[in-house]
């Protein structure tokens, strides 16, 4: 079974590849279903890398980038010779026909510039975010994170932005927890900026009349980022609509680091990103090697988010924060995440899944920051047609609203004589595998995500003059937040 899409049929391969820069890599995307032997498929694809086809096109990379329940996505980077595109369609058809021994080919697409008709461009989304801020200055403010945290711009000179939504947006309200909603780590996942825009719009424009939205905005400081990857997103719209990574030069005419394999926790695990620069899942030469993830690290450390929702596409399932090669979650933590995923699934008709790899943003957000971190794979394609995209935007809203509204089980302030004390918080009677522990905010506020039960929690000072304080706390079955303020004892 072969379903062809734009850039394939009727001679359009030659036409579309000519619109790009000849001599530069272009993505050929292949989707298969019913794959029976992924390991052999991976090996065969490795052998294709570097092959020169009869018409002169060169395959510089071919790899599996996604596996979900027998469905497999393959990215192949094709360099079209300077002489042109003549014969390219026949060459690519010969290559794609060989996939038949591994599974049924359902989609073949050669990259073209731009998103599908009906999608908002990056400039349009940025303008919409700015308009939300300008028209609603009491509850919305667009923040230039690059400037706010004195970070360098991206390699293409872009900045990262977040729309803050809160009932008193001009103030940093200490009694309110911070929440992050982020999209578009992977540039080609164009449905996710649309979801971020819709979420921001509803939070702002429904605030006056929707009780559920008002309750969330009054309780939290919410930050919405429509893209973590502005360079890659612009490249999708200008050159290659299947581009995944950022746009930093990482080798000889090789570009891009997979930003969602570049986070610190699990970066070097066996199921982390690739070590090969040409790979679509290249993790970078070090954790946080990219200015985009460096900016996110500073942002998360300063805000100490209580919740993080990370939007991706595609697959229609939500995930826990650790990848498949990590040790099993402590039973209590698995149950807590599973419960939230099941509610999300009921509200959206999504499945429950696991994170695809380590070195991803949710793993960092949970392990290092202590956030309830959930990655959601939305939609049935990276770029479904505009009608399906609009339907998907509405489909995920109830689930996203639920996760935005889930109260943190335990929170409070750590102080001494009314002055905030910086501490590390650790739950003693949970069998952690990776020494999970978290700092509190600069104003002393902390949060801990745990299911109902009895716990022993230690507060270890990160500054001299205080003793370790350990408290016992019972978290009830009800969803009410337990407020536990901790007064640190002085060591003098």
């Amino acid at each position: 079974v072969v379903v062809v899409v734009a850039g394939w049929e009727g001679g359009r391969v030659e036409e579309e590849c000519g619109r790009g820069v000849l001599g530069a890599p272009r993505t050929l995307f292949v989707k298969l279903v019913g794959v029976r032997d992924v390991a052999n498929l991976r090996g065969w694809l490795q052998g294709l890398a570097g092959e020169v086809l009869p018409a002169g096109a060169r395959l510089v990379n071919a790899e599996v980038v996604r596996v979900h329940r027998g469905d497999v996505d393959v990215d192949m980077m094709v360099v079209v010779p300077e002489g042109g595109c003549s014969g390219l369609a026949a060459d690519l058809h010969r290559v794609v026909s060989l996939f038949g021994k591994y599974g049924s080919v359902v989609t073949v697409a050669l990259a073209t510039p731009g998103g599908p008709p009906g999608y908002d461009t990056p400039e349009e989304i940025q303008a919409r975010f700015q308009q939300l801020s300008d028209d609603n200055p009491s509850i919305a403010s667009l923040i230039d994170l690059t400037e706010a945290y004195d970070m360098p711009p991206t390699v293409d000179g872009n900045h990262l932005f977040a729309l803050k939504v809160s009932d008193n947006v001009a103030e940093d309200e200490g009694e309110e927890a911070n929440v992050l909603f982020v999209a578009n780590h992977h540039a080609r996942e164009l449905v996710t900026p649309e979801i971020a825009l819709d979420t921001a719009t509803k939070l702002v424009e429904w605030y006056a009349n929707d009780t559920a939205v008002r309750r969330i905005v009054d309780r939290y400081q919410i930050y919405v980022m429509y893209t973590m990857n502005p360079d890659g997103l612009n490249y999708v719209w200008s050159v290659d609509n299947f581009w995944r990574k950022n746009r930093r030069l990482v080798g000889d005419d090789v570009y891009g680091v997979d930003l969602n394999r570049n986070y610190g926790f699990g970066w070097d695990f066996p199921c982390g990103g690739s070590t090969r620069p040409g790979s679509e899942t290249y993790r970078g030469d070090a954790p946080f090697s990219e200015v985009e993830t460096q900016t996110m690290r500073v942002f998360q450390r300063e805000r100490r988010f209580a919740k993080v929702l990370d939007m991706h596409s595609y697959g229609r399932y939500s995930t826990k924060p650790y990848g498949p090669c990590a040790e099993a979650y402590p039973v209590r933590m698995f149950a807590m995440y599973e419960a939230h995923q099941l509610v999300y699934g009921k509200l959206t008709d999504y499945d429950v899944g696991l994170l695809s790899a380590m070195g991803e943003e949710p793993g960092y957000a949970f392990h290092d920051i202590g956030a309830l971190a959930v990655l959601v794979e939305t939609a049935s394609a990276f770029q479904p047609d505009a009608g399906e995209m609009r339907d998907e935007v509405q489909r995920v809203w109830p689930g996203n609203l639920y996760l935005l509204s889930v109260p943190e089980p335990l929170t409070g302030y750590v102080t001494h004589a009314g002055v905030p004390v910086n501490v590390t918080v650790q739950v003693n009677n949970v069998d952690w595998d990776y020494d999970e522990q978290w700092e509190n905010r600069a104003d002393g506020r902390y949060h801990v995500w745990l299911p109902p039960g009895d716990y022993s929690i230690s507060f270890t000072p990160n500054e001299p003059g205080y003793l370790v304080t350990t408290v016992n706390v019972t978290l009830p079955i009800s969803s009410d937040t337990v407020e536990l303020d901790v007064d640190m004892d002085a060591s003098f």
Side-chain angles (χ1 to χ4, degrees), residues 137-160:
S138 64
I139 62 169
S141 176
L142 187 61
I143 301 171
D144 184 332
L145 299 177
T146 301
E147 288 190 0
Y149 291 101
D150 194 26
M151 295 297 292
T154 65
V155 294
D156 286 346
N158 290 303
H159 289 204
L160 296 180

Side-chain angles (χ1 to χ4, degrees), residues 180 182 225 228 263 292-300:
L180 175 64
V182 60
M225 300 177 65
M228 255 297 290
Y263 288 88
E292 296 92 341
T293 53
Q294 292 167 16
T295 302
M296 177 62 89
R297 177 176 57 181
V298 172
F299 189 30
Q300 292 212 25

Side-chain angles (χ1 to χ4, degrees), residues 316-331:
R316 291 187 175 138
Y317 59 93
S318 64
T319 77
K320 300 172 182 67
Y322 290 175
C325 65
E327 296 294 332
Y329 293 88
V331 173

